[in-house]
Amino acid sequence: MEQQQIISYQLDLFAEENTGEICHSESSEHVSGAVSGKALQMVTAGEQEHTFTFHLMEAILSSGNIQRAFKQVKQNKGASGIDRMSIQEFAVWYESHGEELLRQLYAGSYQPQGVREVEIPKPNGGTRKLGIPTVIDRVIQQAIHQVLSPIYERNFSDHSYGFRPNRSAHQALRRSSEYVADGKTIVVDIDLKNFFDVVNHDRLMYRLSQTIKDKRLLRLIRKYLQSGIMVDGITSQRTEGTPQGSPLSPLLSNIVLDELDKELEKRGHIFVRYADDCNIYVSSQAAGTRIMQSVSHFIEHKLKLKVNESKSKVCEVNETKFLGYTIQQEGVLTLSSQSTSRLKARVRQITRRNRGVKFEQLINELNPLLRGWLSYYRHAQCKHQLRNLDAWIRRKLRCYRIKQCKRVITLQKFLESRGVVKWQSWIIALSGKGHWRKSNCPQVVQAMGNKWFDEDAGLYNLSLNYVRLNRL
């Protein structure tokens, strides 16, 4: 029934130009069960799909699909590409140039613009390269994604969780913890080296051609794969890899790695994959070592990808991390040390004592960070760690606040105004201690206590909200 609904939805999109009677879903994750007259004439779902895949461009470029693509790109926000066109400017541009753009896409003469390359720091050191396409190309790629995703989704592995509708990192972690709780306490942690930069274009295009019969679309996707990268004003051609940061890249990466999923399933392995992060769970070190060798050989010789030998390992589950968590021997999820360190580094950056911004602004910057961080890590058993983090964050803020006072008299008056006895406030104000040492003195803690941070300053409390979230 699900397959029939997907095919019917896609055929409805294709028929829009002729019938105008299309029921569009509000997002690409929920498909409509409406069936157009053209779809009803088909005999089987297989015949419907076979016919449809020869005319994918019509579905992709239908007005409803383009509108949804623009809405999604606008919602995702993001920086402008090499042409410096903003998302707001695209709507105006499309009104006058939209027909010509569609004509070029149908004719196959459209040439994607290059992507703007930026580098962002990785949590464990080094940098990750991101490619930022122009808004025009982001809308086109999003439109392609919305039509192709339902076609490929029903064939993807149940062990794959990354960049898929109605699937999340938390589901991947829950499945992993279940495997560990069942006794699979040894993990084969496979790390792919620069995965997005080394995807073989010919193999990917062959995989796509097995399902997509519309040659216009295949040519357009290859153009996107080979579109140039602009660095320091110089554009260079790309011969391998998919630009990480484009709307189409997550789907293409799952299509590439689905071949790995199917091979692991064929071999009977128990595994969880999230994007290019793949963990295979076994019962013994010897089995893990043997699997690491054979799977690495398959990845490098069959998929033409590279295994990062320095980061891949076979070990007990609690000796590595997966999606920011550490899984203990009993299957219990805990915080990885790297996750706490990354949060502290970000808090240090926000609370730098030489920033010169208002104290209230610090709180406004910290709260979304803390709220989002806890939302992701709420499934870890970490109440004690969160209490320590709360105390450390409050001390950082106390340190910033007393430095803001600058002069001795200003600090003394601030402490006294916060209820500290006058002579005790003078002791702190005249102390030769540094700001960090002062921030932990009883008088300063009294002036800016836990209740003051929670109620007056409005600081997001990790430990209290952790309890609240886990009661829901």
Side-chain angles (χ1 to χ4, degrees):
M1 180 62 184
E2 181 182 358
Q3 179 177 346
Q4 180 70 39
Q5 288 179 327
I6 292 171
I7 300 302
S8 298
Y9 165 73
Q10 294 163 340
L11 282 164
D12 284 345
L13 286 174
F14 170 52
E16 179 183 20
E17 297 298 327
N18 298 320
T19 65
E21 299 175 353
I22 307 301
C23 276
H24 294 297
S25 62
E26 287 300 319
S27 71
S28 61
E29 296 179 5
H30 302 282
V31 296
S32 170
V35 182
S36 67
K38 185 170 290 188
L40 287 171
Q41 295 173 7
M42 298 298 177
V43 179
T44 66
E47 290 180 3
Q48 292 175 11
E49 180 178 15
H50 181 75
T51 301
F52 176 71
T53 55
F54 278 96
H55 302 280
L56 286 170
M57 286 296 283
E58 281 74 13
I60 290 167
L61 301 180
S62 65
S63 59
N65 194 51
I66 293 291
Q67 288 173 9
R68 284 192 301 278
F70 172 68
K71 186 182 296 185
Q72 186 62 50
V73 170
K74 186 177 180 181
Q75 182 178 326
N76 293 341
K77 300 180 180 178
S80 58
I82 62 174
D83 62 353
R84 299 299 177 185
M85 180 188 290
S86 67
I87 298 172
Q88 291 73 21
E89 291 170 334
F90 171 81
V92 178
W93 178 91
Y94 191 78
E95 285 184 5
S96 55
H97 297 84
E99 289 186 10
E100 175 62 19
L101 174 64
L102 296 179
R103 188 193 66 77
Q104 291 180 13
L105 287 167
Y106 277 122
S109 59
Y110 176 75
Q111 187 61 44
Q113 299 182 67
V115 299
R116 182 164 62 90
E117 184 178 87
V118 296
E119 293 186 353
I120 60 173
K122 287 184 178 180
N124 299 325
T127 58
R128 175 181 288 113
K129 294 179 180 180
L130 293 182
I132 303 177
T134 63
V135 176
I136 298 171
D137 287 323
R138 291 213 297 273
V139 171
I140 297 171
Q141 289 190 44
Q142 179 63 31
I144 295 172
H145 179 278
Q146 289 170 178
V147 171
L148 292 188
S149 180
I151 296 174
Y152 282 97
E153 261 302 311
R154 67 182 184 276
N155 293 321
F156 281 156
S157 169
D158 188 49
H159 298 273
S160 165
Y161 292 87
F163 309 124
R164 296 182 59 188
N166 302 318
R167 285 180 168 246
S168 67
H170 289 154
Q171 292 175 330
L173 288 160
R174 192 177 304 116
R175 176 70 71 89
S176 297
S177 65
E178 290 171 358
Y179 291 150
V180 174
D182 288 341
K184 306 293 184 181
T185 58
I186 302 296
V187 61
V188 181
D189 186 358
I190 300 176
D191 185 89
L192 299 180
K193 188 175 183 179
N194 299 327
F195 167 70
F196 287 93
D197 298 330
V198 298
V199 170
N200 185 283
H201 287 177
D202 291 335
R203 292 200 85 259
L204 173 55
M205 291 308 302
Y206 173 76
R207 294 277 295 174
L208 290 170
S209 68
Q210 298 299 103
T211 301
I212 300 171
K213 304 305 178 183
D214 192 329
K215 293 184 179 181
R216 297 167 298 176
L217 177 56
L218 291 173
R219 285 192 291 267
L220 179 59
I221 292 175
R222 183 176 277 279
K223 285 181 180 180
Y224 275 122
L225 290 174
Q226 297 177 338
S227 59
I229 301 174
M230 178 174 284
V231 182
D232 298 328
I234 300 174
T235 302
S236 58
Q237 196 69 21
R238 183 172 50 240
T239 58
E240 61 181 6
T242 62
Q244 192 173 0
S246 70
L248 199 53
S249 183
L251 177 61
L252 296 180
S253 67
N254 272 332
I255 292 171
V256 171
L257 291 175
D258 185 62
E259 195 171 353
L260 172 62
D261 297 339
K262 296 298 191 291
E263 179 67 18
L264 295 178
E265 289 175 348
K266 188 173 70 174
R267 298 184 185 188
H269 294 317
I270 293 175
F271 70 98
V272 172
R273 182 179 66 79
Y274 190 94
D276 58 338
D277 201 348
C278 183
N279 281 1
I280 305 171
Y281 297 94
V282 296
S283 301
S284 69
Q285 187 78 22
T289 302
R290 184 178 66 253
I291 291 171
M292 173 66 83
Q293 292 175 348
S294 63
V295 173
S296 296
H297 184 272
F298 175 82
I299 291 172
E300 295 189 338
H301 291 83
K302 184 68 182 295
L303 301 185
K304 307 300 182 184
L305 300 173
K306 297 178 182 178
V307 175
N308 192 332
E309 295 182 1
S310 63
K311 293 184 178 180
S312 300
K313 56 185 174 180
V314 179
C315 61
E316 294 187 358
V317 289
N318 58 2
E319 294 177 3
T320 187
K321 64 181 179 67
F322 182 50
L323 301 177
Y325 284 75
T326 295
I327 306 175
Q328 301 300 327
Q329 295 284 352
E330 305 80 13
V332 175
L333 296 173
T334 59
L335 283 177
S336 70
S337 57
Q338 295 92 330
S339 302
T340 305
S341 298
R342 287 198 296 270
L343 176 64
K344 283 189 169 185
R346 186 72 184 99
V347 171
R348 286 191 187 97
Q349 187 179 14
I350 293 174
T351 59
R352 291 192 317 275
R353 279 173 268 170
N354 61 353
R355 285 193 64 194
V357 300
K358 291 183 178 180
F359 187 76
E360 293 76 12
Q361 182 175 333
L362 258 64
I363 301 294
N364 291 336
E365 291 180 24
L366 281 172
N367 282 346
L369 169 69
L370 300 177
R371 189 178 292 110
W373 186 87
L374 182 61
S375 177
Y376 181 75
Y377 289 106
R378 68 184 183 274
H379 297 292
Q381 291 194 5
C382 57
K383 190 173 182 179
H384 178 71
Q385 290 169 283
L386 294 181
R387 285 175 178 168
N388 291 338
L389 273 172
D390 280 328
W392 179 80
I393 293 169
R394 286 191 291 263
R395 185 174 178 183
K396 292 289 292 182
L397 289 169
R398 290 184 188 112
C399 184
Y400 185 92
R401 183 65 185 86
I402 61 177
K403 185 181 185 297
Q404 275 188 320
C405 294
K406 295 182 180 179
R407 300 169 58 200
V408 170
I409 186 64
T410 310
L411 177 56
Q412 186 275 325
K413 287 183 177 179
F414 170 72
L415 294 175
E416 189 176 3
S417 70
R418 293 293 312 138
V420 178
V421 178
K422 186 172 185 177
W423 66 270
Q424 288 185 336
S425 66
W426 274 112
I427 290 175
I428 294 299
L430 294 170
S431 171
K433 295 178 181 179
H435 294 102
W436 181 247
R437 290 184 65 191
K438 285 181 181 179
S439 66
N440 206 35
C441 290
Q443 296 93 326
V444 176
V445 173
Q446 177 189 343
M448 292 177 281
N450 297 0
K451 186 177 180 180
W452 180 79
F453 276 109
D454 292 341
E455 297 179 2
D456 296 341
L459 178 66
Y460 188 81
N461 189 299
L462 291 172
S463 54
L464 291 179
N465 282 285
Y466 172 78
V467 174
R468 181 184 62 80
L469 285 172
N470 284 288
R471 283 176 179 167
L472 298 178

